[in-house]
Amino acid sequence: MNKSRIAHSLVAVVLGSVLVSSSAFANNILSGNTPSSQGTAQKVNQPLKKSEEKVVKRLPNAGNSVNDTQITTAVKDKLRLQKNLNINDILVKTDKGIVYIAGFVKSQAQKTKVVALAKSVKGIKSVRYSLVVVKNTVVVKK
């Protein structure tokens, strides 16, 4: 009986030490304290740093697209408020603060008004337009 208790005690000590050492090893791996994990961490961090640099470089451009969208919306909103102006005949786009307007209007006065309204929106750099005055438009329904 004595021998079996000693054997059980030895097995318990061995298993306990294995558990403790494996737990310490796992902690070292998770914290990056082993030589192989440090090399792996460097290999992983290099592409991450490069991708982070790419994202950071593109962030200012992302802000431009938000401002461009806001400017386009503001111009379209001002045009929608105008009576006798068919907003469906006018295309408005903004790129890097420059507003581009193209389409058809009924008179030179409308053309001037559309350009003036676009120029009145805050945040624009300039307005480029190609508006064609079309009189007496005939709509043919099929």
Side-chain angles (χ1 to χ4, degrees):
M1 285 255 220
N2 224 357
K3 289 183 180 181
S4 70
R5 281 191 179 177
I6 293 174
H8 285 273
S9 296
L10 283 174
V11 169
V13 168
V14 168
L15 286 176
S17 65
V18 167
L19 288 174
V20 169
S21 65
S22 64
S23 174
F25 181 70
N27 283 336
N28 283 338
I29 288 174
L30 292 175
S31 65
N33 290 335
T34 63
S36 64
S37 65
Q38 288 172 352
T40 303
Q42 287 176 347
K43 288 178 184 176
V44 169
N45 284 336
Q46 286 173 346
L48 287 177
K49 285 181 183 178
K50 287 180 183 177
S51 63
E52 178 184 2
E53 289 170 3
K54 288 179 183 177
V55 169
V56 170
K57 285 179 185 176
R58 291 182 182 163
L59 281 177
N61 294 337
N64 286 343
S65 66
V66 170
N67 290 338
D68 289 345
T69 303
Q70 292 170 342
I71 290 170
T72 300
T73 302
V75 171
K76 285 181 178 182
D77 288 345
K78 285 190 176 210
L79 295 177
R80 277 190 193 95
L81 295 174
Q82 300 305 304
K83 294 180 181 179
N84 299 326
L85 182 66
N86 188 353
I87 188 69
N88 294 326
D89 290 339
I90 299 173
L91 174 69
V92 179
K93 296 286 181 184
T94 307
D95 185 34
K96 298 177 185 173
I98 301 171
V99 177
Y100 297 89
I101 303 172
F104 303 100
V105 292
K106 294 179 184 176
S107 67
Q108 183 63 38
Q110 275 190 345
K111 182 178 182 178
T112 305
K113 183 72 172 177
V114 167
V115 174
L117 287 170
K119 287 181 178 180
S120 71
V121 173
K122 288 184 179 181
I124 68 164
K125 294 179 182 176
S126 67
V127 176
R128 297 184 184 167
Y129 58 93
S130 176
L131 293 168
V132 177
V133 177
V134 179
K135 296 186 183 217
N136 298 330
T137 307
V138 178
V139 178
V140 178
K141 293 184 180 181
K142 293 182 180 183

